[in-house]
Amino acid sequence: MALRASVAEGLIARAVFGPLGGVVEVGAVNSTGTWRLTEVSMGDYLARHRSDVERLMEGIRSVCRFGDDAMAIVDELGRFRDHDVPAAFLLLWSGGITGVPQPLERLEEPPVVRRMCRMAADLQLTLFLQALINAAIAAGTEPGRGAPEIAEILAGASDLADATGRSTPADIFRMWRVAHLPAILRPESDAPESGKAGFRAYDRLLEELLAAA
């Protein structure tokens, strides 16, 4: 039973840390202000935001009730170490919405990179919020305590993605609600009633906290 629980926690943690990795990569590209991939330094970006990332990790551990093994997945994924950010990564994080231009080198042109970053920030932050709420519900974190923590985590992640304030927590919340809640809450959904109640509670409280009605 303990092994089964550990495996489940690991899968939930990957769902959280996967999109967060996309968020920091997009943030590093956005921070150049030029959207030239040759100017991106993940090492410098992470060094400048070390305290911000540490606060995020502490918040995630708390609200998701992750153990050391789950938190270690961050290092395993490698997104929080110095590495290159090729255009292919941004294409992945943005869901391939731009398509693959011909010739392929056009994917690295600053206007294309900037557009992919904007879409990637929206998509990955929305997936991150869904994963956070799902993890909090699975961990039994009471919404009255968990919602304020998630709101704070989302604010920090949004700042990392785009320091100009373009990706606001309120906007991400609204996108999350229409992108994810209908499938979970529809009558024919296989989600347990306790899970549905949890999502409804987090939706209501986050709406109040983020003034996103």
Side-chain angles (χ1 to χ4, degrees):
M1 185 65 71
L3 177 59
R4 207 175 275 182
S6 177
V7 170
E9 184 181 62
L11 292 174
I12 291 171
R14 286 180 183 278
V16 171
F17 295 131
L20 184 57
V23 166
V24 295
E25 288 186 347
V26 167
V29 178
N30 278 331
S31 71
T32 65
T34 64
W35 293 275
R36 298 183 185 280
L37 296 180
T38 56
E39 298 178 13
V40 177
S41 171
M42 282 300 305
D44 289 348
Y45 177 79
L46 291 169
R48 292 197 307 271
H49 294 280
R50 180 177 177 179
S51 61
D52 300 321
V53 171
E54 288 176 348
R55 280 195 298 273
L56 267 185
M57 294 304 172
E58 290 170 2
I60 291 169
R61 180 191 283 272
S62 174
V63 77
C64 301
R65 299 185 182 179
F66 285 158
D68 290 343
D69 288 346
M71 295 301 296
I73 289 172
V74 173
D75 292 331
E76 182 183 327
L77 294 175
R79 301 296 180 182
F80 290 82
R81 295 195 296 268
D82 190 23
H83 61 276
D84 293 334
V85 183
F89 283 14
L90 298 177
L91 186 66
L92 173 66
W93 296 131
S94 61
I97 296 173
T98 59
V100 180
Q102 295 298 327
L104 188 59
E105 289 74 18
R106 287 190 54 206
L107 203 60
E108 297 185 2
E109 293 178 356
V112 178
V113 170
R114 184 181 185 185
R115 186 165 182 258
M116 286 193 294
C117 282
R118 287 181 168 178
M119 291 185 289
D122 289 345
L123 177 56
Q124 297 308 316
L125 284 167
T126 303
L127 291 172
F128 177 58
L129 178 56
Q130 166 63 12
L132 274 179
I133 296 172
N134 186 62
I137 292 171
T141 303
E142 197 275 320
R145 179 178 79 82
E149 289 188 84
I150 288 176
E152 185 175 346
I153 293 167
L154 183 61
S158 298
D159 286 343
L160 284 176
D162 191 340
T164 67
R166 182 183 177 278
S167 298
T168 69
D171 287 342
I172 299 304
F173 169 76
R174 286 196 296 270
M175 286 188 285
W176 163 79
R177 180 161 55 186
V178 298
H180 292 276
L181 275 190
I184 295 169
L185 300 180
R186 70 181 189 274
E188 65 272 23
S189 168
D190 59 3
E193 290 303 317
S194 59
K196 291 181 179 181
F199 274 101
R200 286 193 174 96
Y202 272 99
D203 170 54
R204 177 178 57 80
L205 291 170
L206 286 170
E207 179 178 87
E208 294 173 0
L209 289 165
L210 299 174

